[in-house]
Amino acid sequence: MQREIKDNCVVFEENGEVFNAGWARQSVFEYNSDMSRTSGKHGESDCYFINNGEVSLYLSVENYGMEFAIKIAVADLKRGGVISDCVIKKFVLFKNELPESGSKGELLYTDKRIQLQLTNTTDGRFLKCDYIDFGGLKNLYFNITLKKINGESLNELAPFERDRKYFYLKRFVPKFIASGVIRVGGLEYSLNENNTRAYFDWTRFSKPRKHNYQRLSADCIIDSKRFSLCLASRVGDNRYGNENCFFIGGKLEKLSQINVKGTNGRLDRPWYFTAGISAVDITFKPFTVKGEPMAAVMDKTTVVFGRLYGQIKRVDYDNPLILDNAQAHMIFTEF
């Protein structure tokens, strides 16, 4: 049975084992990487997804052991084009530290092709990037301000069955609005707070084996309210909590086990998500351009853009939440 954690607690006991597995509506899990006692590699990722209905920006910055990666994709949802690229640095001598605090800290990275600056503040985030020959085609520039708004978040802490010193800690935070500009080659996209939303996906882990992870997400407006979705595959022992949930008007509604059916890895075909007696009945249909899926491939990560069709029944509501034609995306990655 899933366990909701309502009070602040540390992630690790003194012996390094996971202290209190479960899920929460706020950031209650106090993470200190120095308290981890695993012998395996530690991983961390900060991922942003920004969307205004016309353009989507995916940005992920990742550390895994001695490897550092930056992954960026820009999708033009009106014209149907996707450009993506990534920077992979193996065996880095000095680790590029990601901010641990949600209210302060900064990442600065520069090489011959890219300058990236991510700054955390008490009110939000600043994201700035100059990328030469992005995707081998065009230059990319963006300067974006993310502003925090009120709302809940999904926080999950899971150990692993055979060794509770291994852990998986996730925060899915769909409570930002965005303003700024994105330029790719000769195209320019203006972002304003009235129609541009952003979520932040924060992950810290140390695992005994690799996982093929997939997540269906959405962040759009339905019936004049903001709707955000997170349906993800299992990582670790998630008997006490998983990532499956949705948000409507800033309020989190938890979901349990989701049944997922794909089509043998074909990215151009629909995916089906069901639970209970029609409690969840969703179909994700990828956008296609000339018969090919609208997808960004960045090393071991693929993002597929598309739409949702179907419905979710809400507790204590007579009518279900209708998702027909809602913009969404699926993320496939190995870590």
Side-chain angles (χ1 to χ4, degrees):
M1 182 175 179
Q2 297 193 55
R3 175 195 295 153
E4 182 177 359
I5 309 298
K6 298 184 178 181
D7 298 319
N8 286 14
C9 60
V10 295
V11 171
F12 304 110
E13 299 186 64
E14 290 187 3
N15 64 0
E17 292 187 350
V18 168
F19 173 63
N20 201 9
W23 68 276
R25 300 173 186 273
Q26 304 295 335
S27 179
V28 300
F29 299 113
E30 298 172 356
Y31 177 67
N32 181 351
S33 59
D34 293 335
M35 294 297 294
S36 175
R37 299 290 184 264
T38 66
S39 56
K41 295 180 181 178
H42 285 71
E44 54 185 20
S45 72
D46 287 2
C47 178
Y48 297 88
F49 191 89
I50 300 163
N51 175 58
N52 69 354
E54 177 187 10
V55 64
S56 291
L57 172 68
Y58 172 90
L59 167 64
S60 182
V61 183
E62 305 167 4
N63 278 318
Y64 184 56
M66 297 300 292
E67 183 173 297
F68 174 72
I70 300 171
K71 303 174 182 178
I72 303 177
V74 179
D76 189 317
L77 303 174
K78 298 295 185 182
R79 299 175 179 87
V82 182
I83 302 176
S84 61
D85 209 336
C86 59
V87 174
I88 306 294
K89 298 294 184 181
K90 298 181 181 292
F91 309 114
V92 292
L93 296 178
F94 302 99
K95 186 176 180 181
N96 296 282
E97 298 286 350
L98 305 186
E100 287 302 331
S101 170
S103 59
K104 61 181 180 180
E106 186 172 63
L107 170 70
L108 295 171
Y109 177 83
T110 302
D111 66 17
K112 293 181 180 179
R113 294 182 60 204
I114 185 172
Q115 294 181 342
L116 179 68
Q117 177 182 351
L118 308 179
T119 305
N120 292 2
T121 72
T122 55
D123 298 321
R125 308 278 198 278
F126 295 106
L127 316 178
K128 188 174 183 180
C129 179
D130 271 300
Y131 202 140
I132 299 173
D133 292 332
F134 175 63
L137 298 171
K138 303 175 181 180
N139 293 346
L140 167 68
Y141 170 82
F142 59 78
N143 190 351
I144 301 171
T145 298
L146 302 185
K147 179 181 176 182
K148 287 182 183 177
I149 58 176
N150 292 330
E152 297 177 336
S153 60
L154 184 279
N155 303 266
E156 181 213 357
L157 174 60
F160 284 77
E161 294 89 340
R162 297 182 180 180
D163 188 344
R164 291 180 63 87
K165 292 181 181 178
Y166 288 108
F167 67 96
Y168 178 74
L169 176 61
K170 166 74 73 171
R171 295 173 187 159
F172 182 79
V173 188
K175 54 179 184 179
F176 293 93
I177 52 178
S179 60
V181 65
I182 302 171
R183 299 191 188 105
V184 185
L187 295 175
E188 179 174 313
Y189 307 93
S190 296
L191 312 177
N192 68 74
E193 294 180 355
N194 293 327
N195 65 0
T196 309
R197 298 158 299 281
Y199 72 70
F200 177 53
D201 182 61
W202 182 99
T203 310
R204 301 294 185 266
F205 62 86
S206 182
K207 305 186 291 83
R209 59 188 179 276
K210 289 185 177 180
H211 282 78
N212 290 313
Y213 174 87
Q214 67 184 41
R215 187 180 82 233
L216 172 66
S217 288
D219 196 12
C220 56
I221 301 297
I222 296 179
D223 295 334
S224 301
K225 292 183 179 181
R226 183 170 179 172
F227 169 80
S228 305
L229 179 68
C230 177
L231 302 182
S233 56
R234 174 190 175 200
V235 181
D237 180 2
N238 59 5
R239 288 176 294 175
Y240 302 108
N242 57 39
E243 298 178 50
N244 298 329
C245 65
F246 68 94
F247 301 79
I248 189 74
K251 296 293 185 181
L252 182 153
E253 297 201 23
K254 197 72 181 66
L255 299 170
S256 55
Q257 185 66 35
I258 302 293
N259 299 312
V260 182
K261 182 180 179 181
T263 50
N264 298 322
R266 287 190 56 180
L267 298 181
D268 61 330
R269 303 299 297 165
W271 286 73
Y272 305 94
F273 300 80
T274 59
I277 304 175
S278 300
V280 175
D281 189 358
I282 298 173
T283 300
F284 172 77
K285 293 185 178 181
F287 292 131
T288 56
V289 180
K290 297 180 179 179
E292 296 295 324
M294 192 170 166
V297 180
M298 300 156 286
D299 192 49
K300 298 177 182 178
T301 298
T302 299
V303 181
V304 183
F305 300 88
R307 292 189 182 276
L308 293 180
Y309 298 87
Q311 64 180 28
I312 300 176
K313 289 185 178 178
R314 301 175 61 189
V315 177
D316 299 329
Y317 283 78
D318 293 332
N319 297 322
L321 188 64
I322 304 299
L323 305 179
D324 284 353
N325 217 30
Q327 288 184 357
H329 55 279
M330 286 193 70
I331 299 173
F332 304 86
T333 192
E334 178 186 291
F335 63 90

